[in-house]
Amino acid sequence: MNAKTENIVMETVENRPDQHESDKEDEEIDESVLDGYLTEDKHIAPEIVNAFRSNDRDARLEAAKKLKQLGDKRETLAAQEIVNAGLLPSIVEMMSSDDIQSQVQATWLVALVTASEQTSAAVEAGVIPRLITLASSMTSKRVRDNALLAMGNIGKDSQQLRDKLIQEGGLKPPLDVLANPSKYPNNTLRLAADTIHGFSCSRRGKMPGYEVTQQIIPVLLGYILYQRNGAAKSLQHCILSLSHILVGKAQVDDVLRIDVVPRLVHLCTSQEAKTRRNALKCISRIILYSEDGTEKLINAGILPIFKTCIEGDKQDRREACFGASNLVAGTLDHAKAFMGLDLVPIFVKVVSNEEEVPGIRNDATWTLSNLARIWGREHHDILDTLLEANVVESLCIGLTLEKRDAVEISLQGIQGFLRPQWEGQKRAIERIIAGDGIDQLRALRVRKDFRPTQLPRTAQTLLESHFPDFSRAARV
């Protein structure tokens, strides 16, 4: 498949510890009280540190409550000072207690620390084994949810910590939740989905290997098929995770083994923007890596949805244009299906619109050029249709875009219209002359930002071969 690469922007989700009904009294605490929890140089007060380290259960719980109150209002400071005070070993010990209240407080504090820049310190203190155990708890929802939240924070932090979490068994608890959704409340489902999202999009580093993603994909697909509420955060996280995981043909083939394509196409029509956009991202990845998948998408009705998306907001337009650029490059039947829905004139308008987002114009240019350069060579009827839709003029406009790949692909598309074997070549030349094509070719010939490349020379060659009267340099 002729496909261009895409800079995939990984989305992140909010990672603060969850608020529970019984915590509401903490929200209105006076700032002066919080100041009393700190020394003058902003360290945790010694009496709180000593109480937290004591063997007195009630004293430890009271100290933990104060740390939580501090964390609710001053997250970064609290997380840093918990580490500075050396309290992480005591927190791990508290997590190992059989006392539910102690587990609740300890897991909340771990979630706070792992949401900060101190994630590595928490991992080094040994929180991962306890989190994995508590994330499977059926005794306390709050303990389980806090543990899942902390695991999601660790997964998002870095490739190294994510891989360590996976190696120690961190996949199992969130996957078990999502595989048995009827057993859990919505918030637990959301946190489990967010944890998997953390595994799929670390802030730094590579995606997990196929041996990991092949365990995740069936569970994600099962949950996407199960969850019918398009506004559910858990569904949005699962779809987004799936889009991140689809980084190659093997992963896409795993998706296609399960009959989920009609569901993904339907989700592209959701009234919920995040649900719709995440589904569109999945669609784009399937098109990028699989012609069979593209065929299934076309049969499920993705092309009319692309047509609607082009008239939507910029995120929808971006995904639709990127998906279309690869769809038309797949097979002749796919290209004809695209053209059969009168999508070409819409994409011409996108390229011609100077107020459009540059990236969207680039993708629309790729779409039009792929039709001309890939299929026009042997199917002149396609060139005839494209010429009447003003595609050659649109590609000339593409020569003015900033990105090199968009200019290069525009130039290749124009060359597709100038093939001597096509009887419409003369009409294409006339259209280029009648429009601004000559000026744009001549401008490209002298563009300073492209001088190290072959583009200026290619533009000059086109002028000399097909427009000799316009090929000489302007006289001064």
Side-chain angles (χ1 to χ4, degrees):
M1 175 182 289
N2 289 273
K4 64 188 182 64
T5 58
E6 177 190 31
N7 292 322
I8 300 175
V9 179
M10 299 297 190
E11 297 181 23
T12 58
V13 293
E14 192 171 324
N15 57 355
R16 286 202 58 201
D18 185 44
Q19 295 291 322
H20 297 275
E21 287 298 318
S22 60
D23 298 331
K24 290 185 177 179
E25 70 269 19
D26 297 338
E27 297 177 3
E28 301 301 325
I29 192 166
D30 192 89
E31 291 290 334
S32 63
V33 175
L34 298 180
D35 291 338
Y37 296 164
L38 301 169
T39 62
E40 290 185 359
D41 52 358
K42 302 302 181 184
H43 297 309
I44 296 172
E47 58 269 24
I48 296 178
V49 174
N50 293 334
F52 198 89
R53 288 174 173 164
S54 74
N55 293 324
D56 186 324
R57 172 187 177 276
D58 292 338
R60 294 181 72 171
L61 287 175
E62 183 62 25
K65 178 182 177 181
K66 291 178 179 179
L67 292 176
K68 181 184 180 305
Q69 290 171 341
L70 190 63
D72 276 336
K73 298 291 185 178
R74 307 176 188 181
E75 304 99 313
T76 303
L77 173 66
Q80 180 67 58
E81 290 308 314
I82 285 172
V83 175
N84 290 346
L87 291 179
L88 285 174
S90 298
I91 292 174
V92 174
E93 180 183 343
M94 206 169 176
M95 292 169 68
S96 302
S97 166
D98 291 332
D99 179 60
I100 297 298
Q101 285 185 275
S102 296
Q103 291 177 354
V104 169
Q105 297 295 341
T107 51
W108 194 98
L109 292 174
V110 171
L112 174 72
V113 173
T114 55
S116 72
E117 296 299 319
Q118 304 301 320
T119 312
S120 294
V123 172
E124 289 170 6
V127 301
I128 287 181
R130 293 307 304 156
L131 287 175
I132 291 173
T133 299
L134 296 176
S136 301
S137 171
M138 297 301 290
T139 305
S140 169
K141 173 185 179 299
R142 295 179 65 187
V143 170
R144 180 181 63 233
D145 288 1
N146 287 344
L148 286 170
L149 178 56
M151 289 171 62
N153 293 338
I154 293 170
K156 292 189 190 83
D157 185 80
S158 68
Q159 178 183 341
Q160 179 182 4
L161 296 186
R162 179 202 67 201
D163 291 347
K164 180 177 176 61
L165 182 58
I166 291 174
Q167 289 165 5
E168 295 193 23
L171 272 179
K172 190 175 186 307
L175 288 181
D176 284 349
V177 170
L178 293 175
N180 300 280
S182 61
K183 295 182 179 180
Y184 298 94
N186 290 334
N187 194 56
T188 301
L189 293 171
R190 176 183 65 81
L191 290 167
D194 184 38
T195 301
I196 296 300
H197 177 245
F199 291 150
S200 72
C201 67
S202 308
R203 293 171 188 156
R204 300 175 291 275
K206 299 179 181 178
M207 290 288 299
Y210 178 65
E211 69 280 359
V212 174
T213 59
Q214 68 177 345
Q215 300 176 56
I216 297 175
I217 288 174
V219 177
L220 290 180
L221 297 181
Y223 189 76
I224 290 169
L225 290 169
Y226 165 85
Q227 180 56 263
R228 311 310 292 183
N229 179 7
K233 298 292 185 184
S234 56
L235 177 64
Q236 294 170 359
H237 293 339
C238 284
I239 303 171
L240 184 59
S241 297
L242 182 63
S243 74
H244 293 165
I245 287 172
L246 297 181
V247 294
K249 189 176 186 305
Q251 290 84 353
V252 170
D253 286 346
D254 283 348
V255 169
L256 297 178
R257 291 188 185 99
I258 298 175
D259 189 22
V260 74
V261 165
R263 173 66 173 153
L264 288 174
V265 170
H266 176 72
L267 289 169
C268 292
T269 65
S270 173
Q271 295 299 309
E272 295 293 327
K274 287 186 178 180
T275 301
R276 183 176 66 251
R277 290 166 188 166
N278 293 347
L280 284 167
K281 290 178 187 294
C282 290
I283 297 300
S284 294
R285 307 309 187 272
I286 292 172
I287 292 172
L288 181 61
Y289 293 113
S290 173
E291 290 180 359
D292 290 341
T294 302
E295 182 75 17
K296 291 183 178 182
L297 289 168
I298 291 174
N299 291 338
I302 193 58
L303 287 175
I305 293 174
F306 277 176
K307 192 171 185 178
T308 301
C309 288
I310 295 298
E311 300 170 353
D313 60 31
K314 67 178 182 180
Q315 294 295 334
D316 291 354
R317 294 199 304 278
R318 186 187 303 277
E319 291 300 334
C321 286
F322 177 74
S325 68
N326 291 308
L327 183 146
V328 301
T331 69
L332 177 61
D333 286 342
H334 297 166
K336 287 185 174 180
F338 177 89
M339 295 177 66
L341 280 180
D342 291 328
L343 284 161
V344 170
I346 298 175
F347 277 66
V348 168
K349 289 180 180 179
V350 172
V351 176
S352 304
N353 182 6
E354 295 182 358
E355 296 181 359
E356 180 58 272
V357 177
I360 296 174
R361 294 180 79 192
N362 293 344
D363 289 338
T365 300
W366 271 83
T367 303
L368 298 176
S369 180
N370 282 346
L371 288 168
R373 69 189 185 89
I374 297 174
W375 307 115
R377 182 186 302 274
E378 296 181 0
H379 304 277
H380 294 170
D381 58 320
I382 288 180
L383 285 181
D384 290 332
T385 301
L386 296 176
L387 186 68
E388 293 307 312
N390 300 321
V391 169
V392 71
E393 291 90 341
S394 183
L395 292 174
C396 288
I397 294 173
L399 299 178
T400 68
L401 298 175
E402 293 186 10
K403 286 197 68 175
R404 173 184 168 182
D405 72 316
V407 174
E408 184 174 11
I409 204 68
S410 296
L411 207 52
Q412 292 177 17
I414 292 170
Q415 289 174 309
F417 284 97
L418 298 178
R419 294 190 180 102
Q421 301 89 346
W422 176 45
E423 63 180 15
Q425 181 202 47
K426 183 178 179 181
R427 286 182 287 133
I429 291 174
E430 291 171 350
R431 280 175 171 265
I432 292 172
I433 294 174
D436 296 328
I438 297 299
D439 290 341
Q440 287 149 353
L441 284 167
R442 297 182 73 174
L444 175 59
R445 186 178 58 181
V446 295
R447 272 183 68 167
K448 294 181 180 180
D449 52 335
F450 290 153
R451 280 183 180 175
T453 73
Q454 291 295 317
L455 294 180
R457 181 58 192 165
T458 303
Q460 176 64 20
T461 300
L462 274 181
L463 287 168
E464 291 173 352
S465 300
H466 302 285
F467 312 96
D469 292 343
F470 304 96
S471 63
R472 291 184 290 274
R475 296 180 62 183
V476 179

